[in-house]
Amino acid sequence: MTVTEVVATAVRIADTEGMTAMSIRRIASELGLPTMAVYRFVPSKDRLVTLMTDRVFGETTLPRRPPAGWRAALEHAARLQWGLHRRHPWLAGTMSFTRPVLAPEGMRWTEWLMAVLDDEGVGPTEQLQLAMTVAGFVHGMGAKLETELEDEQHTGMSAAEWMAQREAAFAAAAGRAGERFPRLTRAADVTDDSEFDLDALFEIGLGIVLDGIAVRLGRGAGG
Amino acid sequence: MTVTEVVATAVRIADTEGMTAMSIRRIASELGLPTMAVYRFVPSKDRLVTLMTDRVFGETTLPRRPPAGWRAALEHAARLQWGLHRRHPWLAGTMSFTRPVLAPEGMRWTEWLMAVLDDEGVGPTEQLQLAMTVAGFVHGMGAKLETELEDEQHTGMSAAEWMAQREAAFAAAAGRAGERFPRLTRAADVTDDSEFDLDALFEIGLGIVLDGIAVRLGRGAGG
DNA sequence: TCACCGTCCGTACACCGTACAGAAACGGCC
DNA sequence: GGCCGTTTCTGTACGGTGTACGGACGGTGA
């Protein structure tokens, strides 16, 4: 029995059942240990959470040589990190944006993004601004994944199923809804639900952010 | 004693001490009530949280006539909502992006954004995509405010103070830090800390998102 | 063999949301 | 007024959380 096993167990529980299900007692019972025995390997729950964050960041390694072109490079990094959040929906909740030293692995990421922009001749301050905007976007969307996971636990329904069920109630009040939210109602009618899951919103948002950065770099949206 | 007073008390506690401090027992003691008496006014904590969300959304009203120009209009709406999150850092955590019916007030907001884009001749699906991108950005940044508030409670330091203190430890390990994160270190040197608080990051990100939308609308970044 | 010391973990405390049952207050009827 | 049924209120208790603490146990040196 090692720290690694304790952290791995914690990660597995948090991945599948959400962070609220991840408790010291639960880990202990999962490992067939007395509750307090967990503290042989980990000094506190806070520290355990930090170890979890470190561990999952180690999963994905950024390519040493970024793909050619700043846009492809930023896109690649953003998608890699999004994959991390998909696999570990609790991740965003454990990282502080304003206190980055607690997340050295996150800094490595930011440095990588800045290097890409450095090669494009962007100045130091703007490097950091743009890198944090991209990272902040991914982080912000990642936070929504945790909410969604816990909603699924809570209601026993996926977002799509839930929306479908709500559609009935929505249609019942359609008169009012159609009046109050005509454009929203219309867009919901002509659009497939799956076009608005978090993956789709991530892709749309990422495209817009990169277009915005292109403007800042004084280039066209093409990259 | 009314529901309103209970909700107001809950909001006040959550605003100043974070959502973790907001408990039924705490509200009761604040109002000089027996613990279980709170349930005379509110059926459950979940429902109370919904009422809190509704209440703070009612604080800010969107202008009936948006400012002239899509960019000014979206910017205005985004800043209004950011102000809401600033005053109530817990707000983002109570709203689900994927299950919007729980947040009718959020839908009103989205409808308003879509109306602005409608006037620009944007199609229904893209209206929703762009509106959700803006709303998602504000929401995502808003979520970081809660983390920051609870970190302040936890450490007794603001982010700036904390960074300053860390700078010492950072400088001690500067050799390694400078090697591992040369660009990050450099940018931290030449930039004032206050340029990277959440307000500043919000402004930078908003500008980039709006630039990106301008590209999508086939207009220049000017709006 | 015995004493000492370090490791391990059961118990306990202060919190949480809230189910439940008993007490108290109120209303209607004789 | 006296009595009973009903509703309203709330104290207690349950199962959950993180973890401080002290007692029990095992190993090691004298």
Side-chain angles (χ1 to χ4, degrees):
Chain A
M1 195 68 55
T2 64
V3 211
T4 314
E5 282 179 72
V6 170
V7 175
T9 306
V11 167
R12 186 164 41 75
I13 296 170
D15 285 353
T16 56
E17 297 172 52
M19 207 58 166
T20 61
M22 197 285 283
S23 73
I24 299 288
R25 283 171 173 87
R26 172 69 189 278
I27 293 168
S29 94
E30 205 97 347
L31 294 171
L33 250 48
T35 301
M36 293 304 285
V38 173
Y39 288 100
R40 264 191 281 159
F41 310 105
V42 150
S44 72
K45 191 181 185 182
D46 275 6
R47 180 79 190 122
L48 170 60
V49 170
T50 307
L51 291 174
M52 289 169 68
T53 308
D54 271 10
R55 170 174 233 267
V56 302
F57 258 104
E59 272 176 23
T60 303
T61 50
L62 284 159
R64 186 163 255 291
R65 284 218 153 274
W70 67 268
R71 186 168 180 131
L74 296 190
E75 212 170 312
H76 184 68
R79 290 228 179 85
L80 277 182
Q81 188 144 16
W82 177 247
L84 222 54
H85 282 98
R86 281 240 67 139
R87 285 192 296 280
H88 311 290
W90 46 269
L91 186 56
T94 66
M95 289 191 302
S96 168
F97 226 69
T98 43
R99 314 197 176 200
V101 183
L102 295 178
E105 294 300 327
M107 292 171 76
R108 187 168 52 88
W109 213 277
T110 307
E111 177 73 22
W112 193 95
L113 295 174
M114 289 175 76
V116 169
L117 295 164
D118 199 4
D119 289 350
E120 296 291 318
V122 178
T125 301
E126 202 173 6
Q127 281 173 31
L128 187 51
Q129 288 178 340
L130 299 180
M132 287 189 84
T133 298
V134 174
F137 167 73
V138 180
H139 187 269
M141 289 295 289
K144 298 175 182 57
L145 287 167
E146 175 155 41
T147 312
E148 176 53 25
L149 175 62
E150 303 218 315
D151 281 353
E152 279 176 25
Q153 303 279 324
H154 202 66
T155 63
M157 275 183 278
S158 76
E161 290 166 347
W162 187 88
M163 284 294 268
Q165 187 195 288
R166 276 289 162 169
E167 212 144 349
F170 206 76
R176 261 169 303 169
E179 273 174 36
R180 286 193 62 191
F181 309 122
R183 293 170 190 85
L184 209 45
T185 314
R186 170 122 183 273
D189 279 350
V190 302
T191 315
D192 191 58
D193 281 356
S194 71
E195 289 182 48
F196 287 99
D197 62 14
L198 288 174
D199 285 309
L201 289 175
F202 171 78
E203 286 298 330
I204 294 165
L206 179 59
I208 288 174
V209 167
L210 291 176
D211 284 351
I213 289 177
V215 173
R216 284 288 202 284
L217 296 184
R219 290 165 176 75
Chain B
M1 194 68 56
T2 64
V3 212
T4 314
E5 282 178 72
V6 171
V7 174
T9 307
V11 167
R12 185 165 41 76
I13 297 170
D15 285 353
T16 56
E17 297 173 52
M19 208 57 165
T20 62
M22 196 283 285
S23 72
I24 299 287
R25 282 172 172 87
R26 172 69 187 278
I27 293 168
S29 95
E30 205 96 345
L31 295 172
L33 251 46
T35 302
M36 293 304 285
V38 173
Y39 288 101
R40 264 191 280 159
F41 310 105
V42 149
S44 73
K45 192 180 184 182
D46 275 6
R47 180 81 190 122
L48 170 61
V49 170
T50 307
L51 292 174
M52 290 169 68
T53 308
D54 272 9
R55 170 174 232 265
V56 302
F57 258 104
E59 272 176 23
T60 303
T61 50
L62 284 159
R64 188 163 253 289
R65 284 218 152 274
W70 68 268
R71 187 170 181 128
L74 296 191
E75 212 170 312
H76 183 69
R79 289 227 180 83
L80 277 182
Q81 188 144 16
W82 177 247
L84 222 55
H85 282 98
R86 281 239 66 138
R87 285 193 296 280
H88 311 290
W90 46 269
L91 186 57
T94 67
M95 289 191 303
S96 169
F97 226 70
T98 44
R99 315 197 175 200
V101 182
L102 295 177
E105 294 300 327
M107 292 172 76
R108 187 169 52 88
W109 212 278
T110 307
E111 177 74 21
W112 194 93
L113 295 174
M114 288 175 77
V116 169
L117 295 164
D118 199 5
D119 289 349
E120 296 290 319
V122 178
T125 302
E126 201 172 8
Q127 279 175 32
L128 187 51
Q129 288 178 342
L130 299 180
M132 287 189 84
T133 298
V134 173
F137 167 73
V138 180
H139 187 268
M141 290 295 290
K144 297 175 182 56
L145 287 166
E146 175 155 40
T147 312
E148 176 53 24
L149 176 62
E150 303 217 317
D151 281 353
E152 277 176 25
Q153 302 281 323
H154 203 66
T155 63
M157 275 181 277
S158 76
E161 289 166 345
W162 188 87
M163 284 294 267
Q165 186 195 290
R166 276 290 161 166
E167 212 143 350
F170 206 75
R176 259 170 305 169
E179 272 174 36
R180 285 195 60 191
F181 310 121
R183 294 172 190 84
L184 210 45
T185 314
R186 170 123 183 271
D189 280 349
V190 302
T191 315
D192 192 58
D193 280 356
S194 72
E195 290 182 49
F196 287 98
D197 63 14
L198 288 174
D199 284 309
L201 289 175
F202 172 79
E203 286 298 330
I204 294 165
L206 180 59
I208 288 174
V209 167
L210 292 176
D211 283 351
I213 289 177
V215 173
R216 285 287 203 282
L217 296 185
R219 289 163 177 79

